[in-house]
Protein backbone atom coordinates (compact mmCIF):
# COMPACT_ATOMS: atom_id res chain seq x y z
CA UNK A 1 0.00 0.00 0.00
CA UNK A 2 1.27 3.45 -0.93
CA UNK A 3 1.96 5.50 2.20
CA UNK A 4 1.25 8.95 0.73
CA UNK A 5 -0.78 8.91 -2.44
CA UNK A 6 -1.66 11.83 -4.66
CA UNK A 7 -4.20 12.07 -7.45
CA UNK A 8 -4.02 12.80 -10.25
CA UNK A 9 -0.42 12.12 -11.22
CA UNK A 10 -0.66 14.41 -14.24
CA UNK A 11 -3.00 17.32 -14.84
CA UNK A 12 -3.13 19.41 -17.99
CA UNK A 13 -5.62 22.27 -18.01
CA UNK A 14 -6.30 25.63 -19.55
CA UNK A 15 -5.69 29.00 -17.98
CA UNK A 16 -8.60 30.24 -15.93
CA UNK A 17 -9.86 26.78 -14.97
CA UNK A 18 -10.31 25.56 -11.40
CA UNK A 19 -8.73 22.26 -10.40
CA UNK A 20 -8.13 20.13 -7.32
CA UNK A 21 -5.34 17.80 -6.27
CA UNK A 22 -5.98 15.18 -3.61
CA UNK A 23 -3.63 13.62 -1.07
CA UNK A 24 -4.17 10.75 1.31
CA UNK A 25 -1.81 9.16 3.82
CA UNK A 26 -2.31 5.82 5.57
CA UNK A 27 0.52 6.25 8.06
CA UNK A 28 -1.52 7.69 10.90
CA UNK A 29 0.53 10.90 10.78
CA UNK A 30 -0.80 14.07 12.36
CA UNK A 31 0.75 16.67 10.07
CA UNK A 32 0.47 17.05 6.32
CA UNK A 33 2.04 19.49 3.87
CA UNK A 34 1.85 20.78 0.33
CA UNK A 35 5.10 21.63 -1.46
CA UNK A 36 5.60 23.17 -4.89
CA UNK A 37 8.59 22.38 -7.10
CA UNK A 38 9.05 24.79 -9.95
CA UNK A 39 10.91 24.38 -13.22
CA UNK A 40 14.19 25.26 -11.51
CA UNK A 41 13.66 22.30 -9.17
CA UNK A 42 13.36 24.48 -6.09
CA UNK A 43 11.08 22.90 -3.45
CA UNK A 44 9.00 25.40 -1.51
CA UNK A 45 6.52 24.77 1.26
CA UNK A 46 3.00 26.10 0.71
CA UNK A 47 0.78 24.87 3.53
CA UNK A 48 0.76 22.63 6.57
CA UNK A 49 -2.11 21.11 8.49
CA UNK A 50 -1.92 19.50 11.91
CA UNK A 51 -4.94 17.43 12.88
CA UNK A 52 -7.13 19.28 10.36
CA UNK A 53 -5.94 22.69 11.57
CA UNK A 54 -4.02 25.03 9.26
CA UNK A 55 -0.71 25.84 10.97
CA UNK A 56 1.55 27.02 8.16
CA UNK A 57 0.42 29.26 5.34
CA UNK A 58 3.38 30.58 3.38
CA UNK A 59 3.07 33.48 0.96
CA UNK A 60 0.79 31.80 -1.52
CA UNK A 61 -1.83 33.52 -3.70
CA UNK A 62 -5.30 33.15 -2.22
CA UNK A 63 -6.30 31.33 -5.40
CA UNK A 64 -4.79 28.33 -3.63
CA UNK A 65 -7.00 26.90 -0.91
CA UNK A 66 -6.10 23.81 1.06
CA UNK A 67 -8.70 21.72 2.80
CA UNK A 68 -8.30 18.89 5.28
CA UNK A 69 -11.53 16.93 5.82
CA UNK A 70 -9.74 14.63 8.28
CA UNK A 71 -6.16 14.13 9.37
CA UNK A 72 -5.52 11.50 6.69
CA UNK A 73 -6.47 13.77 3.81
CA UNK A 74 -5.21 17.10 2.54
CA UNK A 75 -6.55 18.50 -0.71
CA UNK A 76 -5.43 21.53 -2.70
CA UNK A 77 -7.88 23.52 -4.74
CA UNK A 78 -6.61 26.09 -7.22
CA UNK A 79 -8.88 28.72 -8.73
CA UNK A 80 -8.32 30.67 -11.93
CA UNK A 81 -5.21 28.77 -12.93
CA UNK A 82 -2.31 30.77 -14.40
CA UNK A 83 0.65 29.72 -16.52
CA UNK A 84 2.95 30.29 -13.55
CA UNK A 85 1.11 27.64 -11.55
CA UNK A 86 2.67 24.98 -13.75
CA UNK A 87 4.85 22.91 -11.43
CA UNK A 88 5.05 19.62 -9.60
CA UNK A 89 3.08 19.62 -6.36
CA UNK A 90 4.14 17.24 -3.59
CA UNK A 91 2.15 16.18 -0.58
CA UNK A 92 4.03 15.09 2.55
CA UNK A 93 3.22 13.90 6.03
CA UNK A 94 4.96 13.34 9.34
CA UNK A 95 4.14 12.30 12.85
CA UNK A 96 5.44 15.75 13.68
CA UNK A 97 7.85 17.68 15.86
CA UNK A 98 11.12 17.16 14.03
CA UNK A 99 12.08 13.84 15.60
CA UNK A 100 10.24 11.88 12.92
CA UNK A 101 10.94 11.57 9.22
CA UNK A 102 8.72 13.03 6.53
CA UNK A 103 7.13 10.88 3.84
CA UNK A 104 6.42 12.40 0.44
CA UNK A 105 4.00 11.46 -2.29
CA UNK A 106 5.16 10.91 -5.84
CA UNK A 107 3.87 14.28 -6.99
CA UNK A 108 1.26 15.79 -9.29
CA UNK A 109 2.62 17.43 -12.41
CA UNK A 110 0.35 20.36 -13.24
CA UNK A 111 0.65 21.95 -16.67
CA UNK A 112 -1.37 25.06 -17.42
CA UNK A 113 -1.70 25.88 -21.12
CA UNK B 1 14.80 26.91 11.46
CA UNK B 2 18.58 27.36 11.13
CA UNK B 3 20.26 27.26 7.70
CA UNK B 4 22.55 24.64 6.25
CA UNK B 5 25.36 24.84 3.70
CA UNK B 6 26.15 22.02 1.29
CA UNK B 7 28.45 21.72 -1.74
CA UNK B 8 26.59 22.21 -5.00
CA UNK B 9 27.79 18.93 -6.45
CA UNK B 10 29.90 15.86 -5.75
CA UNK B 11 31.01 12.90 -7.78
CA UNK B 12 31.70 9.32 -6.86
CA UNK B 13 32.46 6.00 -8.45
CA UNK B 14 30.17 3.05 -8.13
CA UNK B 15 30.81 0.80 -5.11
CA UNK B 16 32.93 3.43 -3.38
CA UNK B 17 31.89 5.19 -0.17
CA UNK B 18 30.49 8.71 -0.45
CA UNK B 19 30.71 11.34 2.27
CA UNK B 20 28.28 14.22 1.80
CA UNK B 21 29.07 17.15 4.12
CA UNK B 22 26.69 19.68 5.63
CA UNK B 23 27.53 22.73 7.73
CA UNK B 24 24.99 24.11 10.18
CA UNK B 25 26.92 26.45 12.45
CA UNK B 26 23.79 28.17 13.86
CA UNK B 27 22.10 24.93 14.93
CA UNK B 28 20.20 25.12 18.20
CA UNK B 29 19.93 22.46 20.87
CA UNK B 30 16.49 21.29 19.77
CA UNK B 31 17.22 21.13 16.02
CA UNK B 32 17.13 17.72 14.40
CA UNK B 33 19.36 17.08 11.38
CA UNK B 34 17.41 15.51 8.54
CA UNK B 35 18.64 14.18 5.21
CA UNK B 36 16.43 13.62 2.17
CA UNK B 37 17.21 12.80 -1.41
CA UNK B 38 15.32 13.31 -4.62
CA UNK B 39 15.91 10.96 -7.50
CA UNK B 40 15.10 12.22 -11.00
CA UNK B 41 11.35 12.56 -11.58
CA UNK B 42 10.49 11.35 -8.06
CA UNK B 43 9.37 12.88 -4.82
CA UNK B 44 11.83 13.57 -2.00
CA UNK B 45 12.73 10.47 -0.05
CA UNK B 46 13.64 10.30 3.64
CA UNK B 47 17.18 9.02 4.18
CA UNK B 48 18.09 9.48 7.83
CA UNK B 49 17.91 11.91 10.73
CA UNK B 50 19.49 12.45 14.11
CA UNK B 51 19.89 14.83 17.02
CA UNK B 52 23.25 14.34 18.73
CA UNK B 53 24.48 10.79 18.26
CA UNK B 54 25.59 9.09 15.06
CA UNK B 55 22.82 7.10 13.38
CA UNK B 56 22.79 4.10 11.08
CA UNK B 57 20.02 2.65 8.99
CA UNK B 58 19.78 0.39 5.95
CA UNK B 59 20.27 3.30 3.56
CA UNK B 60 23.07 5.31 5.12
CA UNK B 61 24.92 6.52 8.19
CA UNK B 62 24.82 9.97 9.72
CA UNK B 63 27.90 11.24 11.49
CA UNK B 64 27.29 14.30 13.66
CA UNK B 65 30.17 16.44 14.88
CA UNK B 66 30.60 16.74 18.61
CA UNK B 67 29.70 20.45 18.55
CA UNK B 68 26.81 19.64 16.16
CA UNK B 69 27.86 22.41 13.79
CA UNK B 70 28.37 19.98 10.95
CA UNK B 71 27.30 16.52 9.87
CA UNK B 72 28.14 14.01 7.16
CA UNK B 73 25.87 11.64 5.33
CA UNK B 74 27.74 8.46 4.47
CA UNK B 75 26.68 6.12 1.70
CA UNK B 76 28.82 3.07 2.29
CA UNK B 77 28.84 1.72 -1.26
CA UNK B 78 27.44 4.05 -3.89
CA UNK B 79 25.33 2.57 -6.64
CA UNK B 80 24.03 4.20 -9.81
CA UNK B 81 20.63 4.38 -8.09
CA UNK B 82 22.10 6.71 -5.49
CA UNK B 83 22.54 9.47 -8.08
CA UNK B 84 20.21 12.17 -6.76
CA UNK B 85 20.01 15.57 -5.11
CA UNK B 86 20.72 15.25 -1.40
CA UNK B 87 19.27 17.76 1.03
CA UNK B 88 20.46 18.43 4.57
CA UNK B 89 17.74 20.18 6.58
CA UNK B 90 17.36 21.28 10.20
CA UNK B 91 13.98 21.02 11.90
CA UNK B 92 13.20 22.30 15.36
CA UNK B 93 11.82 19.59 17.59
CA UNK B 94 9.03 19.92 20.11
CA UNK B 95 6.68 21.90 17.91
CA UNK B 96 4.04 21.02 15.39
CA UNK B 97 5.12 24.08 13.43
CA UNK B 98 8.27 22.39 12.18
CA UNK B 99 8.71 22.31 8.44
CA UNK B 100 11.24 21.05 5.96
CA UNK B 101 12.83 24.06 4.27
CA UNK B 102 14.74 22.82 1.24
CA UNK B 103 17.90 24.52 0.01
CA UNK B 104 19.78 23.81 -3.21
CA UNK B 105 21.13 20.49 -1.98
CA UNK B 106 24.10 18.53 -3.33
CA UNK B 107 23.83 16.91 -6.73
CA UNK B 108 25.53 13.52 -6.46
CA UNK B 109 26.78 11.96 -9.67
CA UNK B 110 27.80 8.31 -9.53
CA UNK B 111 30.08 7.01 -12.27
CA UNK B 112 29.99 3.35 -13.33
Amino acid sequence: DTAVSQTPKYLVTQMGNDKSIKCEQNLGHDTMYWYKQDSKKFLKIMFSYNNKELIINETVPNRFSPKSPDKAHLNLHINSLELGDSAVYFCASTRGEGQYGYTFGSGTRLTVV
Amino acid sequence: DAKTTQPNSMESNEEEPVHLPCNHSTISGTDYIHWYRQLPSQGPEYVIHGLTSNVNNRMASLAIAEDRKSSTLILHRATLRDAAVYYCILITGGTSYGKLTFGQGTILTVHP
Side-chain angles (χ1 to χ4, degrees):
Chain A
D1 277 347
T2 305
V4 178
S5 59
Q6 296 179 227
T7 54
K9 194 170 176 63
Y10 300 97
L11 185 54
V12 181
T13 187
Q14 291 188 326
M15 274 196 309
N17 283 352
D18 303 337
K19 290 293 178 186
S20 291
I21 306 171
K22 297 188 175 186
C23 178
E24 176 182 2
Q25 54 96 1
N26 62 4
L27 299 166
H29 288 170
D30 293 325
T31 309
M32 297 183 72
Y33 302 82
W34 278 113
Y35 281 83
K36 178 181 179 181
Q37 187 166 42
D38 59 25
S39 57
K40 294 182 179 177
K41 304 297 184 185
F42 185 60
L43 272 158
K44 186 173 167 58
I45 188 169
M46 301 174 70
F47 300 103
S48 171
Y49 269 76
N50 179 263
N51 277 320
K52 302 194 298 175
E53 180 187 347
L54 180 66
I55 56 171
I56 295 174
N57 184 348
E58 297 291 307
T59 309
V60 176
N62 57 16
R63 298 183 295 104
F64 289 79
S65 52
K67 191 166 283 188
S68 181
D70 55 62
K71 75 172 195 176
H73 295 84
L74 179 61
N75 303 323
L76 183 64
H77 187 76
I78 315 170
N79 289 323
S80 303
L81 277 154
E82 300 177 358
L83 292 177
D85 297 331
S86 295
V88 182
Y89 292 84
F90 291 101
C91 178
S93 72
T94 184
R95 202 181 293 179
E97 302 187 5
Q99 64 262 48
Y100 302 102
Y102 288 58
T103 304
F104 284 78
S106 56
T108 295
R109 182 176 293 277
L110 171 66
T111 303
V112 183
V113 297
Chain B
D1 295 315
K3 283 193 137 184
T4 63
T5 305
Q6 301 177 250
N8 288 334
S9 62
M10 290 187 66
E11 296 188 19
S12 173
N13 294 319
E14 207 175 3
E15 299 192 7
E16 290 184 355
V18 181
H19 291 236
L20 296 165
C22 180
N23 285 319
H24 28 78
S25 58
T26 59
I27 191 171
S28 73
T30 56
D31 286 343
Y32 286 80
I33 303 161
H34 283 237
W35 282 84
Y36 292 80
R37 69 181 186 181
Q38 188 172 23
L39 279 64
S41 301
Q42 294 190 29
E45 176 186 27
Y46 168 80
V47 178
I48 201 165
H49 78 287
L51 184 61
T52 57
S53 303
N54 294 344
V55 184
N56 300 300
N57 65 21
R58 63 175 179 81
M59 288 181 72
S61 295
L62 176 60
I64 302 173
E66 204 168 319
D67 63 5
R68 300 186 70 233
K69 294 187 176 182
S70 66
S71 61
T72 302
L73 178 70
I74 302 166
L75 306 179
H76 295 286
R77 287 180 72 215
T79 69
L80 296 178
R81 280 201 70 252
D82 291 322
V85 182
Y86 286 79
Y87 298 96
C88 168
I89 305 170
L90 302 183
I91 306 174
T92 302
T95 170
S96 61
Y97 291 83
K99 59 184 179 182
L100 287 176
T101 302
F102 287 83
Q104 297 295 335
T106 297
I107 299 171
L108 175 66
T109 301
V110 180
H111 299 289

